[in-house]
Structure formats: structure tokens, C-alpha cells
Amino acid sequence: MSEFDDQQKQWLQGFVSGIEARKAADRLASRASGAPAAQPPSPSIGPDALQYAAQDRAVAAGGKLVAEETAKRQRHPLDRWDEMVGRAEAGQFPKGIDVFLTKYQGLFYVAPAQDSFMCRLRIPNGIFGAWQMRSLADAADSFGGGYADVTTRANLQIREIGASHAVDMLLAVQALGLTSRGSGADNIRNITGSPTAGIDPQELYDTRPLCSAMHHYILNHREMYGLPRKFNIAFDGGGRVPVLEDTNDIGFVACQVRGGEGFEPGVYFRLQLGGITGHLDFAFETGILLRPEECVKVAGAVVRAFIAHGDRTNRLKARLKYVLDRMGREAFVAEVEKEYGAPLRRAAGAEVAPRPMADKGGHIGVYAQKQAGLNYLGLVLPVGRLTSGQMRGLAEISERFGSGTLRLTVWQNLLISDVADRDLGICIAAINALGLGIEASAIRRGLVACTGNAGCKFSASNTKGHALRLADYLELRVAVDLPINIHLTGCHHSCAQHYVGDIGLLACKVDLDKEGGEESVEGYHVYIGGGAASTAEQAMAREYAQSVAFDDLPPLLERLLAAWLAHRQAPGESFFEFCRRHEIATLRALADRAPLRALAA
């Protein structure tokens, strides 16, 4: 057959153009008539293919995508920058599903608690520079409320950001070599690691390079933003300060392998999966050992397996735990190996040394580093909050007396490292001049509180305010002489991880009978005997009391602590050990008989 001549080619082009024009007209007519727009086709290649294929399978199986999945499918949240800029220029906050989508950029519209944004950062391993802290203080003053909160993921949040300053804040963060991208919504949250990494005399492995590599892996792999729900990853290097890695979806735990069939002696990482303490599960040991250089790639494989098999139709069952429950642990690990491209090394036959003991209070005080003549100082931050003035002051102190390095912990406090022996006294004095310190009572040093209803719409109580009032009350009345953790969380999301505290308090509304009717007040459900990050103290707290009005809570806890101090088997028996030794009914009876102020300081 001969080639088409010019006239035939022109006719054919016109014919095809007419068909395309008709298709476009049909689409416009369909929209005008109110017919639902078709879902965008699933890409067969590219970084979003994995997410779209998982959504397709859910629908093909008869499921219905939740609203968040539908919104993510229509246009990826990371592709909505222009919309966010437009709202900022108009001085408008997002509405409806856009509130969720904006979290992909690290901006949280927190109404009705506050008619403003909160910006959550990403600080891998919680370690950053004094110059960054100083500039963040400036940004908090210029665009926010003039303060920042340290989170339970060794991170910072800046609050009270007006609608018109949303993009200003993001650009200020990015100018510092930091980012907030993917710090909220259905994404991998801040990567946590040992806060004393590189300076801890007992650590097995410096987690800083691994946390940085994992952080940049996420930022540079778009499919890491296609999850069905949020995801947590932690690296524990075996240091003095625990990381609570067993509460994460993926926990990497450094261990010393002495040998064994098929094993060269050295440092490996145990792989743990499925931690989610708000749903009463610790991460389980997979029995897999990884070389440090294998960890990030394996984490990517775990996340891809989660993307492929996570639930897109029910957000209450969309976390990794429920994939493991549904598929079974071995079947899920097989999917991880498929994504990884090779079998993973089983620990059977390896001679693994126990983890060096963690120090429950090791995040507060002065400790010698492995570098001779240098120390790190753990500061007490009242419920994790820093004013912009304190932020600048700490930046200056860390530069003048240390190496200009600041380290956040999952205990909502901060370390200053590399302080010479000769400078300890003047450094501590400078910290005290900021209204902060390196010393605290056993109660105050283990106090953890989520944002509370002063800044979170989900919270049922003022957790930070209540935490401080509890500490004030108990310090005057109970001479606690061993570390104890009290965790206050405002809702079922359990941001303060109440199930792993010695005492966990979950906020609720309590209805009281008053003359003339009922009154609803802020209160808490009380849980006791929880612990994490150590096989010796790994347990979910048990329910001790329900719906206790806050005004009744301080004396209730006073009696409980007094009962522990009066009836412990030895001076060294921890509150955790005391609680696990008794049934809840026995603990209640002991507390009921304990007189108030019986052990006042």
C-alpha cells in the first residue's frame, strides 16, 4: 500500500481532531448535567502506581474508598501547592477535606481549639543546629505565637500561625535546610533515633547516619507518600536514653552479635514490626537481623508492602498492625522480602548479647560523654514548651559552651552536648537564667503531656495545664525517690502514649450531679503499670479508675503513690514492679487505706 498523499493526511488529521473535540464536548456536557466525574486512571508506571493499584484492588473487591483516599486519588496532596498559596494570599484557612490534604505540607488547621495553623517539622534523630533554633525562634515570632512545643517524636511544632502566614512559615523552615513535608496525615512521621547518638559511652551504634538516610529516602521517594495511614520508624542504638522503638510501626534495635552459624561478629539491628500502643500492641520481634547498611532499604520494602496491603476502606483498621493481624506475620514478611528482592537474614543460630540497660531518667541531668572531658546536659522543659526567648538563649548557650548542637528527645525535653568539664557550672547557671534547669523532682522529670484542648480539637482536656498542676500538688505531698513517668493524653489518638506510662491518664468528659442538673467537667481515665523500650518493663498499663474529675485526680494519685512507697518490697522496687506484682483490686485497697499527706516531703 502506498503512503497517504498530503490531501489524505489533512483529511485524516481533521477526522481525528473531530473525534477528540466530540469527546471533550461530551465530558463538558457530563459535568454540566451533574454526572460524577470519572476517577483518574491508575498509572501503570511511576511513583503513584503502587497507591493507585491498591485503591483499585479495594474497589474491585467490592469496597468503597474513604473520603481521604478519594481526595488523594483525584490529585496527589503534594501537587496542591498553588491552592495553598492562593489561600494564603486570600487570608483563608482550608475547609472540608482540604484540612486533611494541607497536612501533607506539615500545616494543621487546629480549629476550633485555635483559629490558626500549627506547623510540624521534620528533624531526623531530633538533632539540629543552634543557628536553626535561633531562626525558628524568629519565625515563631514573625508568623506564629512566639513559642514552640517539643513533641513525643523528638520534633518541634510551632503554633498560632495565621492564614496569611502559612506559606511564609513553610518557606522560613525550608530556608534553614529543614522541612515539614509529610509530617502529618497519611505519611511517615519524623524519624527518631538515640538522642545521645555519637556521644554515648555505652551505645552500640551511632544512629545519626541511619536517621538521616531514612529521612532523605522518604523525601526522595514519592511512593513513600502513598500510605493508607500514618507510620512511625525509630532507630535505637543501644544508648543510655531509650527511644521507645517498640511503640513504632518499624523498630530497629542495635545488638551485638558475638557469632553463630552464618554470622560474622559485629553490630546488627533486630527488626521489629507493628507497634501501636494506642491500639494496645508493642512491635513484635520478627527474628530478622540486619546489617546497618541494609536497614533503610528494608524499611522501604516494609512501607511498600504496607502501601500494597493496607486498608483503604476503613481508617480505623488502616494501620500496619491490622495488616499483620489480617495477613499473618510470616505472610507479611514474605511480602517484604518480595519488595526487598532477597530473603532476609534470620536470627536463628546467632549469639546475640542483651541490650545495655537504658536509664529511665537519663534524659535529665549531667552525663559524661565518651569524648574525654566533655558532657551532655539534659534540660527540663515544662511539658515540652519553649518560648522564642528561651529558644534563642539555648542556641547561644550551645554555641558558647558546646558545639552548637541541640538534641530533642521523645520525653519532650532537650540535650545540649559537648560541654567541657570546666564550663559546666557557668553553663548550668546560664540555663537557669532562662527559667530552665537540669534538675527536677522524680515526678516532674517523667511528665509527658500532649497538646491538649488549648491547641487540638480532639482533646477532651487541658493536658499541659493539668500536668503542671499535678506536679505542683504531688511534689509537695509525696517524697518519690525513684523515676516515675506520668503521661497525659487528650484523646484516643494517644499522642502522649498513656498506655506505656507508669501512670497513664486518658482525658474524658465527666458528668457530675449538681444542684439544678448535671455539669460536664474535664477528667481522666487512669491506667497504671505501663512501660516500654525494655524487656524488663514492657507492658501495657491496666485500667485503675474510670472517669475521674480532674479536681479529684491529685488526691487519688497521692494515695496511689503513697501506697507504693509504704508497701514496696524494698527501697529499690519501682512503681512498675510494684504495680505488676499486685492485682488492680489489691492496689485500690492499699491506696484507699493510705492517708493523704502521709509521706509529705
Side-chain angles (χ1 to χ4, degrees), residues 228-250:
R229 280 304 300 269
K230 74 172 185 177
F231 203 90
N232 294 324
I233 302 175
F235 292 87
D236 171 49
R240 183 184 190 117
V241 182
V243 186
L244 302 182
E245 72 286 340
D246 50 356
T247 68
N248 286 251
D249 295 281
I250 304 177

Side-chain angles (χ1 to χ4, degrees), residues 462-496:
N462 179 11
T463 53
K464 287 189 181 295
H466 288 163
L468 294 175
R469 287 171 60 188
L470 268 178
D472 290 341
Y473 179 97
L474 294 173
E475 282 176 339
L476 292 174
R477 292 166 173 81
V478 191
V480 175
D481 54 358
L482 292 174
I484 185 166
N485 295 328
I486 302 178
H487 294 216
L488 294 85
T489 199
C491 72
H492 66 281
H493 290 120
S494 190
C495 293

Side-chain angles (χ1 to χ4, degrees), residues 81-114:
W81 177 261
D82 290 344
E83 296 175 20
M84 199 164 55
V85 171
R87 282 196 296 267
E89 290 175 345
Q92 297 175 345
F93 289 109
K95 297 178 181 178
I97 197 66
D98 286 338
V99 173
F100 165 79
L101 297 170
T102 305
K103 294 177 183 178
Y104 272 70
Q105 297 293 345
L107 285 173
F108 298 68
Y109 181 44
V110 294
Q114 293 172 334

Side-chain angles (χ1 to χ4, degrees), residues 299-377:
V302 172
V303 174
R304 288 186 181 90
F306 174 54
I307 292 170
H309 296 283
D311 196 329
R312 308 277 174 165
T313 65
N314 181 356
R315 290 179 69 78
L316 297 178
K317 301 289 185 180
R319 292 291 299 274
L320 177 61
K321 160 192 163 55
Y322 295 102
V323 178
L324 293 164
D325 289 348
R326 186 177 73 247
M327 294 182 63
R329 295 174 176 179
E330 287 303 318
F332 181 78
V333 169
E335 289 298 306
V336 172
E337 291 177 319
K338 190 184 301 181
E339 292 287 345
Y340 184 63
L344 297 174
R345 185 186 301 102
R346 280 3 187 223
E351 299 175 15
V352 181
R355 186 202 187 281
M357 284 296 294
D359 182 351
K360 199 169 186 175
H363 56 287
I364 299 295
V366 179
Y367 299 91
Q369 297 180 190
K370 65 182 179 182
Q371 294 83 7
L374 297 182
N375 308 268
Y376 67 88
L377 284 66

Side-chain angles (χ1 to χ4, degrees), residues 3-41:
E3 292 185 355
F4 298 118
D5 60 28
D6 290 342
Q7 185 176 7
Q8 290 172 323
K9 290 178 181 178
Q10 290 175 3
W11 180 89
L12 188 58
Q13 289 171 353
F15 179 77
V16 173
S17 297
I19 293 174
E20 294 300 320
R22 179 58 184 268
K23 289 180 179 178
D26 289 343
R27 285 196 296 270
L28 288 172
S30 175
R31 291 174 186 171
S33 68
Q39 294 281 12

